[in-house]
Amino acid sequence: MDEMFEQLQTVVDRHEELEGLLSDPEVINDTPRFMKLSKEEGEIRETTEKYNHYKDIVEQIKENDTMLREKLDPEMDAMVKQDLAELNTEKEKLEHEMTLLMLPTDPNDDKNIVMEIRGAAGGDEASLFAGDLLNMYMRYAEKQGWTVETVDETPTEVGGFKSVVIMISGDSVYSKLKFENGAHRVQRVPQTESQGRVHTSTATVAVMPEYDAVDLDIDPKDIRTDVYRSSGAGGQHINKTSSAVRMTHLPTGIVVAMQDQRSQQQNREKAMQILRTRVYDYYESQNQNEYDENRKQSVGTGDRSERIRTYNYPQNRVTDHRIGLTLNKLDRIMNGELEDIIDALILHEQTSKLEQLQND
């Protein structure tokens, strides 16, 4: 605990330093630096406030202990003891909260995300379920005040998606949706099933933090860019100019095609954004074995082939297999009410990190 208090004091000292820097006219006039320091200040503000409150509580406990050593009348003695009990409860609560705040954080937690949803096993039913998952995430994002942009989609004739790619932007998107990586299984009676039999289908979800040029600088020589004419649905509204863009990252073979934007330049920018995210994600999964190990110790492996959740429609039940959580409110979850699942996954990860910290 002493080591943690030393770390907390370092955080408080840094916060005080940042407050001074953020009021410096030289820093204020340097917009990129001001924004970077403001972000850092915001990240440690809660920890600083809690530790300062904790120190006040400790001082009050000392004062009450001193008072109890003096001769007090019975009424005052009872009041001080009650106050002391409440202060000790508050102290324990703050110690737990500060421990959580000092746990190692994922450096990507505050990033926006690129999400890919693909219909997997189950044909048309899998593509329909991919569409249902898309609606679920879009509704959850709306409740969080995030913005969603459809980047690319391959619809199917039955109204689902073979694949769909969206970007979700907002406050700490990755920290909440990173647990959605994996295979999602659905059990229900398809509309085309005349015998009323329950079918099992799957869709996969890939969640990648959005990276910018600061995170990953791709050598232009490693990218092959092809331009071609965009094609509209049913052959309608076909562009007379070559505005669609296909980018290939030669070292990894990753391909991104973009035709949804109005101009070739906009398609180039969007394709580059997605390509950078996919390439970074590729290198992360290839090279960071230690990171993968940590993921296994927290919530599942993060592997996109890992079955993470089952959605059982006949029983209105959702089960997250990684933490053994079962909720009988599938209808509400599919309407975007994911809070109970996501909060449970975050708590499980925090508990795992605490155990790991105590074992080190």
Side-chain angles (χ1 to χ4, degrees), residues 96-139:
H96 177 69
E97 289 173 352
M98 290 187 302
T99 302
L100 292 180
L101 286 168
M102 293 301 286
L103 287 175
T105 56
D106 189 325
N108 296 320
D109 274 352
D110 63 344
K111 291 187 184 292
N112 301 326
I113 67 161
V114 174
M115 176 182 280
E116 289 184 282
I117 306 171
R118 293 180 176 274
D124 287 346
E125 179 62 17
S127 78
L128 288 169
F129 182 51
D132 292 336
L133 289 176
L134 173 65
N135 290 332
M136 178 182 77
Y137 291 126
M138 290 180 80
R139 286 170 181 161

Side-chain angles (χ1 to χ4, degrees), residues 115-116 137 174 177-184 204-209 281 291 295 299 301-309 322:
M115 176 182 280
E116 289 184 282
Y137 291 126
Y174 185 74
L177 290 181
K178 61 184 176 183
F179 305 109
E180 298 305 300
N181 247 337
H184 297 242
T204 60
V205 176
V207 178
M208 295 168 281
D281 182 68
Y291 176 76
R295 287 296 294 273
V299 184
T301 63
D303 191 306
R304 284 159 205 165
S305 64
E306 178 193 15
R307 190 189 74 202
I308 63 166
R309 199 174 295 149
R322 296 163 295 181

Side-chain angles (χ1 to χ4, degrees), residues 286-302:
Q286 288 291 311
N287 301 328
Q288 294 204 10
N289 293 329
E290 185 180 343
Y291 176 76
D292 291 340
E293 237 357 91
N294 289 338
R295 287 296 294 273
K296 285 175 188 173
Q297 289 168 3
S298 54
V299 184
T301 63

Side-chain angles (χ1 to χ4, degrees), residues 70-288:
E70 297 172 3
K71 195 145 185 153
L72 301 173
D73 62 69
E75 187 179 348
M76 178 61 78
D77 187 78
M79 282 178 60
V80 172
K81 283 179 178 175
Q82 183 181 347
D83 189 38
L84 191 59
E86 291 172 358
L87 287 167
N88 276 310
T89 300
E90 177 73 2
K91 176 173 173 279
E92 287 177 14
K93 180 175 170 238
L94 284 167
E95 284 175 352
H96 177 69
E97 289 173 352
M98 290 187 302
T99 302
L100 292 180
L101 286 168
M102 293 301 286
L103 287 175
T105 56
D106 189 325
N108 296 320
D109 274 352
D110 63 344
K111 291 187 184 292
N112 301 326
I113 67 161
V114 174
M115 176 182 280
E116 289 184 282
I117 306 171
R118 293 180 176 274
D124 287 346
E125 179 62 17
S127 78
L128 288 169
F129 182 51
D132 292 336
L133 289 176
L134 173 65
N135 290 332
M136 178 182 77
Y137 291 126
M138 290 180 80
R139 286 170 181 161
Y140 176 70
E142 186 182 350
K143 293 173 193 290
Q144 299 296 311
W146 299 337
T147 57
V148 181
E149 178 186 358
T150 302
V151 176
D152 190 26
E153 58 182 34
T154 307
T156 59
E157 292 180 359
V158 296
F161 293 95
K162 183 179 179 184
S163 67
V164 58
V165 181
I166 58 175
M167 291 185 67
I168 305 180
S169 307
D171 182 33
S172 303
V173 179
Y174 185 74
S175 70
K176 293 182 178 177
L177 290 181
K178 61 184 176 183
F179 305 109
E180 298 305 300
N181 247 337
H184 297 242
R185 181 175 70 170
V186 62
Q187 295 173 325
R188 64 185 178 188
V189 179
Q191 293 177 355
T192 54
E193 170 56 59
S194 58
Q195 303 296 318
R197 290 174 297 190
V198 173
H199 287 225
T200 298
S201 308
T202 56
T204 60
V205 176
V207 178
M208 295 168 281
E210 181 193 356
Y211 296 102
D212 53 33
V214 175
D215 298 304
L216 178 65
D217 184 22
I218 298 178
D219 190 332
K221 294 196 297 290
D222 289 339
I223 300 173
R224 186 181 72 234
T225 303
D226 302 305
V227 294
Y228 57 99
R229 291 183 182 180
S230 297
S231 58
Q236 300 297 310
H237 310 296
I238 297 176
N239 288 359
K240 294 179 181 177
T241 58
S242 299
S243 63
V245 173
R246 183 188 298 108
M247 286 186 175
T248 305
H249 184 247
L250 300 173
T252 61
I254 293 170
V255 180
V256 173
M258 194 65 53
Q259 65 173 18
D260 291 351
Q261 309 303 310
R262 291 185 177 274
S263 69
Q264 186 188 120
Q265 183 58 34
Q266 288 175 320
N267 278 322
R268 279 179 180 270
E269 289 172 2
K270 190 61 69 176
M272 189 64 205
Q273 199 174 10
I274 301 299
L275 183 71
R276 187 183 294 114
T277 292
R278 286 181 174 166
V279 169
Y280 198 108
D281 182 68
Y282 173 86
Y283 286 130
E284 283 277 283
S285 60
Q286 288 291 311
N287 301 328
Q288 294 204 10

